[in-house]
Amino acid sequence: MSDVTIVVATRDRAAELRRSLSRHTAPVIVVDNASADGTAEVAEEAGARVVRLPRNEGAAARNTGVRLARTRYVAFADDDSWWAPGSLEHAAAVMDAHPRTALVAARVLVGERERLEPVSELMARSPLGHPGDLPGRAILGFLACSAVVRRDAFLAVGGFSETLHFGGEEELLALDLAAAGWGLAYLPEIIVHHHPSPHRPDPGARRRRETRNRLLTAWLRRPIPVFVRTALTALTSRDGRGGLADAARAWPRVADARRPVPPEVERARSALETY
């Protein structure tokens, strides 16, 4: 597997890594977000290359792993997910054959019953069609654990945002890749297995974080009316109002960083909201 490296960003998930790392078939770089439970040691024992960060950098920890990788492509995995055998070889071959493709997203099967992840179902029905120069349906969103990226394209647009941390961080990266002229595609024949950890964030806290990041992304890349509409929607729920307050606290970091996407990318993003 010379063309793909797997990058896992994790924190305090030693038990999950014991299960998942043995299932990977490509070299793995584990970027540890300042764990306190022996996560880094477990990853080292499993043969992964481990980077120990002094603080929790959230999703941006993946950027460190991508920079260290020396392969053309990088696949992301969560500490509780793994790629099905043959999937990464296929992804690399497809991306070799479609040079405008910066990211392919896999079909995600959840748990022992292999339930289809709802986001995968949405991508399969993407209204953006199947452009001739992409290997599958065009998309403008993805789940990080299901993505294989072209390393150079990922780094050129800055990777995952440090400000967003975790929770819906994928949208900003998708918009930045599309704005740079790259294509993103969904390939259902590529498969990821995801067995969610029982140690997951409180659902309310996650909704609050996702609202925060949706607002910040709208400010950074979308038209002002979209940002206003997103903010008004947030006011309709308790978690939404919490996310709005959190976004306000992050405002100094993004106030001057607004860079709206080109009109054609905004049209494609808007199409996703109406189907």
mmCIF file of all heavy atoms in Angstrom, residues 176-213:
data_model
loop_
_atom_site.group_PDB
_atom_site.id
_atom_site.type_symbol
_atom_site.label_atom_id
_atom_site.label_comp_id
_atom_site.label_asym_id
_atom_site.label_seq_id
_atom_site.Cartn_x
_atom_site.Cartn_y
_atom_site.Cartn_z
ATOM 1 N N ASP A 176 -13.465 24.799 0.574
ATOM 2 C CA ASP A 176 -12.156 25.326 0.173
ATOM 3 C C ASP A 176 -11.565 24.533 -0.984
ATOM 4 O O ASP A 176 -10.958 25.108 -1.902
ATOM 5 C CB ASP A 176 -11.204 25.320 1.369
ATOM 6 C CG ASP A 176 -11.501 26.433 2.359
ATOM 7 O OD1 ASP A 176 -12.279 27.348 2.021
ATOM 8 O OD2 ASP A 176 -10.963 26.396 3.484
ATOM 9 N N LEU A 177 -11.737 23.225 -0.972
ATOM 10 C CA LEU A 177 -11.254 22.418 -2.096
ATOM 11 C C LEU A 177 -12.002 22.772 -3.371
ATOM 12 O O LEU A 177 -11.392 22.950 -4.438
ATOM 13 C CB LEU A 177 -11.414 20.931 -1.781
ATOM 14 C CG LEU A 177 -10.435 20.350 -0.758
ATOM 15 C CD1 LEU A 177 -10.876 18.951 -0.347
ATOM 16 C CD2 LEU A 177 -9.016 20.319 -1.301
ATOM 17 N N ALA A 178 -13.331 22.892 -3.269
ATOM 18 C CA ALA A 178 -14.126 23.229 -4.455
ATOM 19 C C ALA A 178 -13.781 24.620 -4.971
ATOM 20 O O ALA A 178 -13.693 24.843 -6.184
ATOM 21 C CB ALA A 178 -15.611 23.137 -4.127
ATOM 22 N N ALA A 179 -13.574 25.570 -4.060
ATOM 23 C CA ALA A 179 -13.220 26.931 -4.468
ATOM 24 C C ALA A 179 -11.880 26.968 -5.185
ATOM 25 O O ALA A 179 -11.651 27.828 -6.050
ATOM 26 C CB ALA A 179 -13.190 27.847 -3.250
ATOM 27 N N ALA A 180 -11.000 26.036 -4.867
ATOM 28 C CA ALA A 180 -9.695 25.962 -5.520
ATOM 29 C C ALA A 180 -9.746 25.198 -6.839
ATOM 30 O O ALA A 180 -8.708 25.008 -7.482
ATOM 31 C CB ALA A 180 -8.681 25.314 -4.586
ATOM 32 N N GLY A 181 -10.941 24.752 -7.228
ATOM 33 C CA GLY A 181 -11.102 24.076 -8.506
ATOM 34 C C GLY A 181 -11.062 22.562 -8.450
ATOM 35 O O GLY A 181 -11.137 21.896 -9.489
ATOM 36 N N TRP A 182 -10.964 22.004 -7.265
ATOM 37 C CA TRP A 182 -10.896 20.559 -7.126
ATOM 38 C C TRP A 182 -12.295 19.948 -7.095
ATOM 39 O O TRP A 182 -13.268 20.606 -6.734
ATOM 40 C CB TRP A 182 -10.159 20.182 -5.842
ATOM 41 C CG TRP A 182 -8.703 20.503 -5.863
ATOM 42 C CD1 TRP A 182 -8.089 21.565 -5.277
ATOM 43 C CD2 TRP A 182 -7.684 19.763 -6.510
ATOM 44 N NE1 TRP A 182 -6.741 21.532 -5.515
ATOM 45 C CE2 TRP A 182 -6.464 20.425 -6.272
ATOM 46 C CE3 TRP A 182 -7.669 18.587 -7.269
ATOM 47 C CZ2 TRP A 182 -5.250 19.971 -6.759
ATOM 48 C CZ3 TRP A 182 -6.456 18.123 -7.756
ATOM 49 C CH2 TRP A 182 -5.260 18.807 -7.504
ATOM 50 N N GLY A 183 -12.372 18.657 -7.409
ATOM 51 C CA GLY A 183 -13.622 17.918 -7.342
ATOM 52 C C GLY A 183 -13.626 16.950 -6.179
ATOM 53 O O GLY A 183 -12.580 16.435 -5.771
ATOM 54 N N LEU A 184 -14.828 16.708 -5.635
ATOM 55 C CA LEU A 184 -15.030 15.749 -4.559
ATOM 56 C C LEU A 184 -16.109 14.774 -5.026
ATOM 57 O O LEU A 184 -17.110 15.189 -5.612
ATOM 58 C CB LEU A 184 -15.483 16.423 -3.261
ATOM 59 C CG LEU A 184 -14.542 17.436 -2.597
ATOM 60 C CD1 LEU A 184 -14.604 18.802 -3.290
ATOM 61 C CD2 LEU A 184 -14.909 17.613 -1.122
ATOM 62 N N ALA A 185 -15.926 13.486 -4.751
ATOM 63 C CA ALA A 185 -16.853 12.485 -5.284
ATOM 64 C C ALA A 185 -17.155 11.406 -4.256
ATOM 65 O O ALA A 185 -16.310 11.068 -3.413
ATOM 66 C CB ALA A 185 -16.278 11.850 -6.547
ATOM 67 N N TYR A 186 -18.364 10.857 -4.376
ATOM 68 C CA TYR A 186 -18.796 9.750 -3.527
ATOM 69 C C TYR A 186 -18.674 8.450 -4.302
ATOM 70 O O TYR A 186 -19.176 8.334 -5.420
ATOM 71 C CB TYR A 186 -20.248 9.952 -3.096
ATOM 72 C CG TYR A 186 -20.836 8.797 -2.316
ATOM 73 C CD1 TYR A 186 -20.296 8.406 -1.096
ATOM 74 C CD2 TYR A 186 -21.920 8.088 -2.819
ATOM 75 C CE1 TYR A 186 -20.823 7.349 -0.385
ATOM 76 C CE2 TYR A 186 -22.469 7.020 -2.102
ATOM 77 C CZ TYR A 186 -21.913 6.657 -0.891
ATOM 78 O OH TYR A 186 -22.443 5.612 -0.185
ATOM 79 N N LEU A 187 -18.004 7.457 -3.705
ATOM 80 C CA LEU A 187 -17.799 6.165 -4.342
ATOM 81 C C LEU A 187 -18.332 5.068 -3.423
ATOM 82 O O LEU A 187 -17.653 4.661 -2.476
ATOM 83 C CB LEU A 187 -16.314 5.922 -4.623
ATOM 84 C CG LEU A 187 -15.613 6.887 -5.592
ATOM 85 C CD1 LEU A 187 -14.173 6.453 -5.807
ATOM 86 C CD2 LEU A 187 -16.347 6.930 -6.917
ATOM 87 N N PRO A 188 -19.541 4.576 -3.667
ATOM 88 C CA PRO A 188 -20.134 3.599 -2.756
ATOM 89 C C PRO A 188 -19.419 2.255 -2.728
ATOM 90 O O PRO A 188 -19.597 1.474 -1.785
ATOM 91 C CB PRO A 188 -21.567 3.449 -3.293
ATOM 92 C CG PRO A 188 -21.495 3.866 -4.723
ATOM 93 C CD PRO A 188 -20.443 4.937 -4.780
ATOM 94 N N GLU A 189 -18.611 1.963 -3.735
ATOM 95 C CA GLU A 189 -17.890 0.688 -3.741
ATOM 96 C C GLU A 189 -16.711 0.693 -2.773
ATOM 97 O O GLU A 189 -16.141 -0.364 -2.467
ATOM 98 C CB GLU A 189 -17.411 0.337 -5.153
ATOM 99 C CG GLU A 189 -16.327 1.243 -5.723
ATOM 100 C CD GLU A 189 -16.860 2.443 -6.473
ATOM 101 O OE1 GLU A 189 -17.998 2.860 -6.192
ATOM 102 O OE2 GLU A 189 -16.123 2.964 -7.337
ATOM 103 N N ILE A 190 -16.317 1.867 -2.308
ATOM 104 C CA ILE A 190 -15.279 1.982 -1.284
ATOM 105 C C ILE A 190 -15.986 1.981 0.072
ATOM 106 O O ILE A 190 -16.941 2.733 0.278
ATOM 107 C CB ILE A 190 -14.455 3.255 -1.480
ATOM 108 C CG1 ILE A 190 -13.771 3.236 -2.843
ATOM 109 C CG2 ILE A 190 -13.417 3.409 -0.378
ATOM 110 C CD1 ILE A 190 -13.023 4.511 -3.163
ATOM 111 N N ILE A 191 -15.521 1.160 1.007
ATOM 112 C CA ILE A 191 -16.273 0.930 2.240
ATOM 113 C C ILE A 191 -15.424 1.183 3.482
ATOM 114 O O ILE A 191 -14.257 0.792 3.554
ATOM 115 C CB ILE A 191 -16.827 -0.507 2.267
ATOM 116 C CG1 ILE A 191 -17.850 -0.696 1.137
ATOM 117 C CG2 ILE A 191 -17.462 -0.841 3.619
ATOM 118 C CD1 ILE A 191 -18.348 -2.107 0.978
ATOM 119 N N VAL A 192 -16.066 1.831 4.447
ATOM 120 C CA VAL A 192 -15.503 2.036 5.778
ATOM 121 C C VAL A 192 -16.429 1.381 6.794
ATOM 122 O O VAL A 192 -17.654 1.496 6.695
ATOM 123 C CB VAL A 192 -15.361 3.537 6.093
ATOM 124 C CG1 VAL A 192 -15.168 3.781 7.595
ATOM 125 C CG2 VAL A 192 -14.185 4.132 5.330
ATOM 126 N N HIS A 193 -15.845 0.706 7.763
ATOM 127 C CA HIS A 193 -16.603 0.148 8.885
ATOM 128 C C HIS A 193 -16.438 1.068 10.097
ATOM 129 O O HIS A 193 -15.313 1.414 10.465
ATOM 130 C CB HIS A 193 -16.109 -1.253 9.229
ATOM 131 C CG HIS A 193 -16.344 -2.247 8.137
ATOM 132 N ND1 HIS A 193 -17.572 -2.827 7.907
ATOM 133 C CD2 HIS A 193 -15.500 -2.762 7.199
ATOM 134 C CE1 HIS A 193 -17.494 -3.654 6.887
ATOM 135 N NE2 HIS A 193 -16.246 -3.632 6.423
ATOM 136 N N HIS A 194 -17.557 1.456 10.674
ATOM 137 C CA HIS A 194 -17.535 2.352 11.833
ATOM 138 C C HIS A 194 -18.306 1.699 12.969
ATOM 139 O O HIS A 194 -19.503 1.428 12.840
ATOM 140 C CB HIS A 194 -18.167 3.700 11.473
ATOM 141 C CG HIS A 194 -18.108 4.706 12.569
ATOM 142 N ND1 HIS A 194 -18.992 5.749 12.685
ATOM 143 C CD2 HIS A 194 -17.257 4.830 13.634
ATOM 144 C CE1 HIS A 194 -18.699 6.469 13.743
ATOM 145 N NE2 HIS A 194 -17.655 5.926 14.347
ATOM 146 N N HIS A 195 -17.602 1.433 14.069
ATOM 147 C CA HIS A 195 -18.229 0.869 15.259
ATOM 148 C C HIS A 195 -18.130 1.915 16.368
ATOM 149 O O HIS A 195 -17.140 1.943 17.103
ATOM 150 C CB HIS A 195 -17.533 -0.436 15.660
ATOM 151 C CG HIS A 195 -17.820 -1.570 14.724
ATOM 152 N ND1 HIS A 195 -18.166 -2.828 15.147
ATOM 153 C CD2 HIS A 195 -17.856 -1.630 13.360
ATOM 154 C CE1 HIS A 195 -18.380 -3.615 14.106
ATOM 155 N NE2 HIS A 195 -18.190 -2.900 13.008
ATOM 156 N N PRO A 196 -19.132 2.789 16.462
ATOM 157 C CA PRO A 196 -19.035 3.947 17.360
ATOM 158 C C PRO A 196 -18.690 3.575 18.792
ATOM 159 O O PRO A 196 -19.257 2.642 19.366
ATOM 160 C CB PRO A 196 -20.432 4.574 17.257
ATOM 161 C CG PRO A 196 -20.942 4.141 15.922
ATOM 162 C CD PRO A 196 -20.406 2.759 15.730
ATOM 163 N N SER A 197 -17.763 4.336 19.327
ATOM 164 C CA SER A 197 -17.361 4.143 20.719
ATOM 165 C C SER A 197 -18.532 4.425 21.658
ATOM 166 O O SER A 197 -19.315 5.348 21.416
ATOM 167 C CB SER A 197 -16.203 5.089 21.046
ATOM 168 O OG SER A 197 -15.976 5.129 22.440
ATOM 169 N N PRO A 198 -18.654 3.662 22.740
ATOM 170 C CA PRO A 198 -19.694 3.983 23.731
ATOM 171 C C PRO A 198 -19.386 5.259 24.507
ATOM 172 O O PRO A 198 -20.267 5.836 25.135
ATOM 173 C CB PRO A 198 -19.684 2.755 24.657
ATOM 174 C CG PRO A 198 -18.302 2.192 24.520
ATOM 175 C CD PRO A 198 -17.902 2.446 23.094
ATOM 176 N N HIS A 199 -18.139 5.695 24.444
ATOM 177 C CA HIS A 199 -17.732 6.911 25.152
ATOM 178 C C HIS A 199 -17.806 8.088 24.187
ATOM 179 O O HIS A 199 -16.814 8.498 23.594
ATOM 180 C CB HIS A 199 -16.319 6.751 25.704
ATOM 181 C CG HIS A 199 -16.146 5.528 26.551
ATOM 182 N ND1 HIS A 199 -15.483 4.406 26.105
ATOM 183 C CD2 HIS A 199 -16.586 5.241 27.801
ATOM 184 C CE1 HIS A 199 -15.500 3.489 27.055
ATOM 185 N NE2 HIS A 199 -16.160 3.967 28.083
ATOM 186 N N ARG A 200 -19.012 8.609 24.018
ATOM 187 C CA ARG A 200 -19.243 9.677 23.059
ATOM 188 C C ARG A 200 -19.723 10.927 23.770
ATOM 189 O O ARG A 200 -20.295 10.860 24.861
ATOM 190 C CB ARG A 200 -20.260 9.231 22.000
ATOM 191 C CG ARG A 200 -19.784 8.008 21.229
ATOM 192 C CD ARG A 200 -20.759 7.575 20.167
ATOM 193 N NE ARG A 200 -20.806 8.525 19.057
ATOM 194 C CZ ARG A 200 -19.908 8.578 18.095
ATOM 195 N NH1 ARG A 200 -18.864 7.789 18.121
ATOM 196 N NH2 ARG A 200 -20.033 9.444 17.113
ATOM 197 N N PRO A 201 -19.527 12.108 23.154
ATOM 198 C CA PRO A 201 -19.931 13.359 23.793
ATOM 199 C C PRO A 201 -21.439 13.411 24.024
ATOM 200 O O PRO A 201 -22.223 12.745 23.328
ATOM 201 C CB PRO A 201 -19.505 14.435 22.778
ATOM 202 C CG PRO A 201 -18.519 13.766 21.886
ATOM 203 C CD PRO A 201 -18.881 12.324 21.854
ATOM 204 N N ASP A 202 -21.835 14.164 25.015
ATOM 205 C CA ASP A 202 -23.250 14.405 25.255
ATOM 206 C C ASP A 202 -23.889 14.932 23.969
ATOM 207 O O ASP A 202 -23.356 15.841 23.331
ATOM 208 C CB ASP A 202 -23.397 15.432 26.379
ATOM 209 C CG ASP A 202 -24.818 15.912 26.515
ATOM 210 O OD1 ASP A 202 -25.658 15.128 26.971
ATOM 211 O OD2 ASP A 202 -25.086 17.077 26.136
ATOM 212 N N PRO A 203 -25.043 14.348 23.544
ATOM 213 C CA PRO A 203 -25.658 14.772 22.274
ATOM 214 C C PRO A 203 -25.956 16.266 22.216
ATOM 215 O O PRO A 203 -25.796 16.898 21.170
ATOM 216 C CB PRO A 203 -26.948 13.945 22.217
ATOM 217 C CG PRO A 203 -26.658 12.744 23.052
ATOM 218 C CD PRO A 203 -25.768 13.225 24.156
ATOM 219 N N GLY A 204 -26.381 16.842 23.340
ATOM 220 C CA GLY A 204 -26.655 18.280 23.358
ATOM 221 C C GLY A 204 -25.398 19.090 23.131
ATOM 222 O O GLY A 204 -25.401 20.082 22.388
ATOM 223 N N ALA A 205 -24.307 18.665 23.756
ATOM 224 C CA ALA A 205 -23.038 19.377 23.579
ATOM 225 C C ALA A 205 -22.558 19.261 22.144
ATOM 226 O O ALA A 205 -22.005 20.220 21.581
ATOM 227 C CB ALA A 205 -21.990 18.822 24.533
ATOM 228 N N ARG A 206 -22.796 18.100 21.525
ATOM 229 C CA ARG A 206 -22.384 17.940 20.131
ATOM 230 C C ARG A 206 -23.219 18.831 19.216
ATOM 231 O O ARG A 206 -22.685 19.460 18.295
ATOM 232 C CB ARG A 206 -22.496 16.479 19.703
ATOM 233 C CG ARG A 206 -22.007 16.262 18.275
ATOM 234 C CD ARG A 206 -21.841 14.816 17.923
ATOM 235 N NE ARG A 206 -21.288 14.686 16.580
ATOM 236 C CZ ARG A 206 -20.003 14.714 16.283
ATOM 237 N NH1 ARG A 206 -19.115 14.878 17.237
ATOM 238 N NH2 ARG A 206 -19.591 14.583 15.039
ATOM 239 N N ARG A 207 -24.527 18.883 19.458
ATOM 240 C CA ARG A 207 -25.375 19.753 18.627
ATOM 241 C C ARG A 207 -24.948 21.214 18.781
ATOM 242 O O ARG A 207 -24.942 21.976 17.807
ATOM 243 C CB ARG A 207 -26.842 19.581 19.020
ATOM 244 C CG ARG A 207 -27.461 18.267 18.573
ATOM 245 C CD ARG A 207 -28.959 18.291 18.735
ATOM 246 N NE ARG A 207 -29.357 18.380 20.131
ATOM 247 C CZ ARG A 207 -29.572 17.336 20.916
ATOM 248 N NH1 ARG A 207 -29.420 16.110 20.452
ATOM 249 N NH2 ARG A 207 -29.960 17.509 22.171
ATOM 250 N N ARG A 208 -24.593 21.584 19.978
ATOM 251 C CA ARG A 208 -24.137 22.957 20.220
ATOM 252 C C ARG A 208 -22.848 23.242 19.446
ATOM 253 O O ARG A 208 -22.715 24.286 18.800
ATOM 254 C CB ARG A 208 -23.929 23.160 21.720
ATOM 255 C CG ARG A 208 -23.409 24.513 22.122
ATOM 256 C CD ARG A 208 -23.488 24.669 23.627
ATOM 257 N NE ARG A 208 -22.869 25.927 24.056
ATOM 258 C CZ ARG A 208 -23.134 26.507 25.211
ATOM 259 N NH1 ARG A 208 -24.007 25.968 26.049
ATOM 260 N NH2 ARG A 208 -22.530 27.644 25.536
ATOM 261 N N ARG A 209 -21.927 22.293 19.483
ATOM 262 C CA ARG A 209 -20.663 22.465 18.761
ATOM 263 C C ARG A 209 -20.892 22.511 17.247
ATOM 264 O O ARG A 209 -20.299 23.327 16.538
ATOM 265 C CB ARG A 209 -19.718 21.322 19.120
ATOM 266 C CG ARG A 209 -18.432 21.263 18.306
ATOM 267 C CD ARG A 209 -17.579 22.483 18.478
ATOM 268 N NE ARG A 209 -17.157 22.686 19.829
ATOM 269 C CZ ARG A 209 -15.917 22.985 20.205
ATOM 270 N NH1 ARG A 209 -14.983 23.085 19.302
ATOM 271 N NH2 ARG A 209 -15.626 23.205 21.461
ATOM 272 N N GLU A 210 -21.775 21.661 16.744
ATOM 273 C CA GLU A 210 -22.055 21.665 15.309
ATOM 274 C C GLU A 210 -22.722 22.961 14.869
ATOM 275 O O GLU A 210 -22.445 23.476 13.778
ATOM 276 C CB GLU A 210 -22.928 20.463 14.954
ATOM 277 C CG GLU A 210 -22.157 19.143 15.035
ATOM 278 C CD GLU A 210 -23.049 17.934 14.860
ATOM 279 O OE1 GLU A 210 -24.294 18.093 14.949
ATOM 280 O OE2 GLU A 210 -22.507 16.830 14.647
ATOM 281 N N THR A 211 -23.606 23.502 15.711
ATOM 282 C CA THR A 211 -24.226 24.792 15.390
ATOM 283 C C THR A 211 -23.174 25.886 15.350
ATOM 284 O O THR A 211 -23.165 26.723 14.432
ATOM 285 C CB THR A 211 -25.305 25.147 16.428
ATOM 286 O OG1 THR A 211 -26.338 24.158 16.385
ATOM 287 C CG2 THR A 211 -25.911 26.513 16.144
ATOM 288 N N ARG A 212 -22.288 25.894 16.320
ATOM 289 C CA ARG A 212 -21.194 26.875 16.345
ATOM 290 C C ARG A 212 -20.413 26.831 15.047
ATOM 291 O O ARG A 212 -20.170 27.865 14.401
ATOM 292 C CB ARG A 212 -20.267 26.566 17.517
ATOM 293 C CG ARG A 212 -18.935 27.330 17.518
ATOM 294 C CD ARG A 212 -17.982 26.669 18.507
ATOM 295 N NE ARG A 212 -16.724 27.383 18.638
ATOM 296 C CZ ARG A 212 -15.632 27.130 17.921
ATOM 297 N NH1 ARG A 212 -15.665 26.202 16.962
ATOM 298 N NH2 ARG A 212 -14.519 27.812 18.129
ATOM 299 N N ASN A 213 -20.029 25.629 14.631
ATOM 300 C CA ASN A 213 -19.185 25.505 13.452
ATOM 301 C C ASN A 213 -19.946 25.782 12.163
ATOM 302 O O ASN A 213 -19.372 26.278 11.198
ATOM 303 C CB ASN A 213 -18.542 24.121 13.437
ATOM 304 C CG ASN A 213 -17.478 23.979 14.518
ATOM 305 O OD1 ASN A 213 -17.031 24.970 15.083
ATOM 306 N ND2 ASN A 213 -17.098 22.763 14.814
#
